[in-house]
């Protein structure tokens, strides 16, 4: 398959970075299409751990071209820092390219993100405070600053002055915060523009050319379907579209250029930040899974909330993404739990059984998850190389997920490293 989309099927942190890193070894191009440095993708090699935020997870292979598409929001300071740190590890950046249309995250976006969260009080979203929402907001308002403007000093000065002062007014008058020093910001950001100039290229055209040359292209999702601004648990979502459709609008390619889609999920569920989480575990099992699975944010180090595998979520994700294949990560973490639960449906307040994910918060607040209990497994599976080597109850768990989700589990993660992955028909 020449082009493949890898998307998060739950609330993010499903192990997309690991899957991309594995698939990148057989790819020519890896492309990010949305989100920003709110993402944190971990890649573990023998003795090294990389936590990537904006740089596509194909970067560890020097021959792979890594592209950042127009739908991304780019913090110039953050990406330059990430590049600098990775260069210390001898990572090659000659093949990194960024679309001139990406929106620039400016300091006022970060200040507004924090001020908005503070004002919301206990109803806060629990954002990563990286300025993602306010930056996408300026984009939709059609006042955002794009990379092609950042690298043009005359235009950048004019635009940053106007937009900066406008956002300063909001900071001061609405949120009662101190204004930012626009002139200082302009000078600092011009130097970032100068450093980023070398990476700028039209990603839509580059991807099309690569497709025509029959290159293998991987589209790397960030976040996950349940954080999608339209189809996630709104308003407890991110501000972009982390589903397959977001790849088309974020890279600038039509859907006919997508050949294959793989949904990445964990064998259980996690979410960071606030908002509905029907299958959340609220007893000591959550602590156990969190500690064993090291479920703390790659980026913000926050504790991840833990829940059972939710087939209602996965079916919703399958529909909005269009995948028929799953990469099921972190199965090893469930070893030692005597009884495993899978959420198969929800019961509404008026006792109706539903299998579709409710579109509104009010219904979500009132549903009760319905579980099917399955016997667990106690064996260490971290060295298993084939599905046959897995314990019987573990295999039954995988088959149950396939049956409930109508998807094929094609990759099974039994550990964080590249080689700790079982393949079925891939
Ligand atoms: P991403 O945002 O989707 O790329 O996921 P993160 O990197 O934020 O979080 C996934 C975490 O799980 C990382 O620490 C990975 O190293 C780890 N991981 C991925 N797959 C597996 C697996 O199969 N088993 C275990 N034990 N850890 C895994
Ligand atoms: P990766 O790519 C998990 C969550 C935040 C918050 C909500 C909105 O590593 O899977 P934002 O800063 O985007 O406005 O925050 O979205 N969130 C993520 N959760 N993984 C991510 O990315 C996330 N990116 C954003 O915690 O609840
Ligand atoms: Mg992550």
């Amino acid at each position: 398959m020449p082009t493949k989309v890898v998307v998060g099927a739950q609330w993010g942190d499903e192990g997309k970075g690991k899957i991309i890193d594995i698939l990148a070894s057989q790819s020519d191009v890896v492309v990010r299409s949305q989100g920003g440095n709110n993402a944190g993708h971990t890649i573990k090699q023998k003795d090294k751990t990389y936590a990537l935020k904006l740089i596509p997870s194909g970067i560890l292979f020097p021959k792979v071209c890594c592209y950042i598409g127009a739908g991304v929001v780019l913090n110039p300071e953050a990406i330059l820092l990430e590049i600098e740190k990775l260069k210390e590890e001898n990572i090659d950046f000659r093949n990194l390219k960024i679309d001139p249309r990406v929106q620039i995250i400016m300091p006022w976006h970060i200040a507004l993100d924090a001020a908005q969260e503070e004002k919301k009080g206990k109803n806060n979203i629990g954002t990563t405070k990286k300025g993602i929402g306010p930056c996408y907001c300026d984009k939709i308002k059609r006042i955002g600053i794009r990379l092609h403007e950042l690298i043009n000093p005359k235009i950048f000065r004019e635009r940053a002055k106007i937009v900066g002062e406008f956002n300063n007014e909001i900071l001061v008058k609405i949120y009662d915060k101190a204004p930012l020093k626009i002139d200082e910001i302009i000078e600092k950001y011009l130097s970032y523009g100068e450093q980023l100039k070398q990476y700028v290229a039209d990603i839509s055209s580059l991807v099309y050319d690569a497709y025509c040359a029959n290159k293998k292209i991987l589209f790397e999702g960030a976040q996950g379907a349940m954080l999608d601004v339209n189809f996630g648990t709104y308003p407890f979502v991110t501000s972009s579209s982390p589903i397959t459709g977001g790849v088309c609008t974020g890279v600038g390619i039509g859907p006919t250029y997508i050949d294959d889609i793989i949904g990445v999920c964990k064998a259980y569920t996690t979410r960071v930040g606030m908002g509905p989480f029907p299958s959340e575990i609220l007893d000591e099992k959550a602590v156990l899974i969190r500690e064993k699975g090291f479920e703390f944010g790659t980026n913000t180090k926050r504790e991840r909330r833990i829940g059972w595998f939710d087939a209602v979520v996965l079916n919703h994700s399958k529909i909005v993404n269009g995948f028929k294949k799953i990469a099921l990560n972190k199965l090893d973490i469930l070893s030692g739990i005597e009884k495993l639960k899978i959420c198969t449906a929800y019961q509404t307040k008026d006792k109706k059984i539903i299998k579709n994910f409710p579109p509104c918060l009010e219904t979500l607040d009132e549903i009760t998850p319905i579980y099917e209990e399955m016997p667990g497994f106690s064996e260490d599976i971290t060295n298993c190389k084939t599905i046959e080597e897995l314990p019987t109850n573990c295999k039954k768990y995988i088959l149950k997920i396939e049956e409930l989700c109508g998807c094929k589990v094609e990759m099974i993660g039994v550990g964080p490293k590249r080689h700790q992955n079982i393949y079925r028909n891939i």
Side-chain angles (χ1 to χ4, degrees):
M1 287 291 187
T3 73
K4 197 189 282 280
V5 174
V6 176
V7 276
Q10 296 161 323
W11 275 277
D13 300 328
E14 300 90 348
K16 298 174 293 292
K18 183 186 86 166
I19 300 298
I20 291 284
D21 175 62
I22 289 171
L23 297 173
S25 64
Q26 312 136 35
S27 306
D28 301 298
V29 181
V30 176
V31 199
R32 266 284 295 268
S33 53
Q34 43 69 230
N37 59 326
N38 48 348
H41 299 173
T42 319
I43 301 176
K44 284 202 170 144
Q45 288 188 345
K46 280 182 211 100
D47 51 349
K48 275 195 182 143
T49 301
Y50 300 90
L52 304 173
K53 293 169 186 163
L54 274 157
I55 304 290
S57 304
I59 200 73
L60 304 188
F61 297 93
K63 285 197 185 130
V64 173
C65 293
C66 286
Y67 298 159
I68 296 179
V72 166
V73 285
L74 187 93
N75 178 328
E77 188 173 23
I79 196 167
L80 286 166
L81 222 93
E82 200 173 333
I83 292 172
E84 195 184 301
K85 274 183 105 179
L86 287 164
K87 274 187 175 167
E88 284 168 15
E89 306 278 341
N90 294 321
I91 307 291
D92 194 338
F93 280 89
R94 268 172 302 180
N95 290 326
L96 174 71
K97 298 279 174 255
I98 312 172
D99 198 284
R101 306 169 186 93
V102 297
Q103 294 280 327
I104 302 300
I105 298 182
M106 297 297 294
W108 44 83
H109 296 136
I110 298 166
L112 280 168
D113 201 348
Q116 284 169 5
E117 284 285 89
E118 190 187 313
K119 191 151 187 139
K120 284 192 178 115
K122 66 174 178 35
N123 295 322
N124 72 88
I125 294 169
T127 74
T128 57
K129 299 215 178 89
K130 306 284 179 190
I132 308 294
C135 184
Y136 275 117
C137 193
D138 274 0
K139 171 180 176 169
I140 302 302
K141 273 188 197 155
R142 290 158 294 175
I143 60 166
I145 296 171
R146 310 209 295 183
L147 181 56
H148 61 88
E149 294 174 307
L150 179 71
I151 61 174
N152 182 327
K154 186 172 174 296
I155 291 181
F156 180 70
R157 275 182 208 283
E158 281 169 20
R159 296 274 352 270
K161 190 100 189 143
I162 297 169
V163 184
E165 275 166 10
F166 173 76
N167 277 302
N168 252 350
E169 250 189 282
I170 300 178
L171 271 171
V172 174
K173 293 187 182 159
I174 312 269
Y175 294 106
D176 201 20
K177 298 286 170 197
L180 302 177
K181 293 183 175 130
I182 307 294
D183 290 332
E184 279 178 23
I185 293 171
I186 291 175
E187 292 319 307
K188 199 157 97 176
Y189 274 63
L190 279 173
S191 84
Y192 296 150
E194 191 54 38
Q195 295 169 71
L196 287 172
K197 231 183 198 164
Q198 58 185 308
Y199 301 113
V200 180
D202 181 345
I203 300 306
S204 170
S205 303
L206 282 182
V207 169
Y208 177 70
D209 291 346
Y211 181 86
C212 293
N214 216 20
K215 302 275 187 207
K216 293 197 177 80
I217 307 169
L218 265 184
F219 298 103
E220 170 179 353
Q223 289 79 51
M226 303 314 288
L227 291 170
D228 182 88
V229 69
N230 295 311
F231 297 102
T233 43
Y234 189 90
F236 299 96
V237 292
T238 190
S239 299
S240 68
S241 191
I243 57 177
T244 308
V247 169
C248 295
T249 56
V251 176
I253 49 138
T256 48
Y257 300 114
I258 293 173
D259 299 310
D260 196 16
I261 310 162
I262 187 148
V264 186
C265 57
K266 282 176 181 158
Y268 46 97
T269 315
T270 63
R271 110 164 267 181
V272 217
M274 312 299 278
F277 187 178
S279 68
E280 184 164 16
I281 306 173
L282 295 166
D283 59 24
E284 71 288 348
K285 278 204 187 76
V287 182
L288 197 118
I289 295 175
R290 184 180 301 118
E291 303 276 304
K292 191 167 176 207
F294 201 69
E295 295 295 357
F296 299 90
T298 307
N299 206 333
T300 57
K301 312 285 176 241
R302 287 179 294 174
E303 271 189 4
R304 292 174 183 154
R305 295 157 66 192
I306 312 288
W308 297 112
F309 186 90
D310 187 338
V312 181
V313 163
L314 247 289
N315 270 297
H316 176 68
S317 187
K318 173 184 79 178
I319 296 167
V320 297
N321 278 301
F323 57 71
K324 296 189 176 85
K325 302 167 181 175
I326 295 177
L328 187 70
N329 278 328
K330 299 197 114 165
L331 194 57
D332 53 305
I333 303 303
L334 295 183
S335 158
I337 298 175
E338 204 184 322
K339 285 200 171 97
L340 298 172
K341 283 189 187 182
I342 297 184
C343 173
T344 57
Y346 301 152
Q347 188 179 61
T348 62
K349 208 172 82 179
D350 48 3
K351 304 277 181 248
K352 263 201 339 223
I353 307 294
I354 55 167
K355 290 197 172 183
N356 62 315
F357 196 83
C360 53
L361 224 53
E362 300 84 76
T363 323
L364 267 171
D365 281 346
E366 290 169 348
I367 55 105
T368 317
I370 296 173
Y371 291 109
E372 184 166 334
E373 222 171 59
M374 300 194 67
F377 54 96
S378 55
E379 296 86 340
D380 174 3
I381 60 166
T382 53
N383 289 316
C384 290
K385 303 258 180 302
T386 63
I387 187 123
E388 289 74 28
E389 288 172 50
L390 293 174
T392 307
N393 285 346
C394 186
K395 279 190 269 196
K396 281 187 182 160
Y397 187 73
I398 298 169
L399 292 177
K400 179 55 76 181
I401 287 176
E402 286 192 330
E403 178 198 318
L404 289 169
C405 304
C407 286
K408 182 104 186 151
V409 174
E410 290 220 333
M411 292 167 98
I412 302 156
V414 293
K417 298 195 175 151
R418 267 182 197 163
H419 68 275
Q420 289 176 302
N421 221 47
I422 297 174
Y423 302 87
R424 287 166 85 203
N425 309 334
I426 220 162

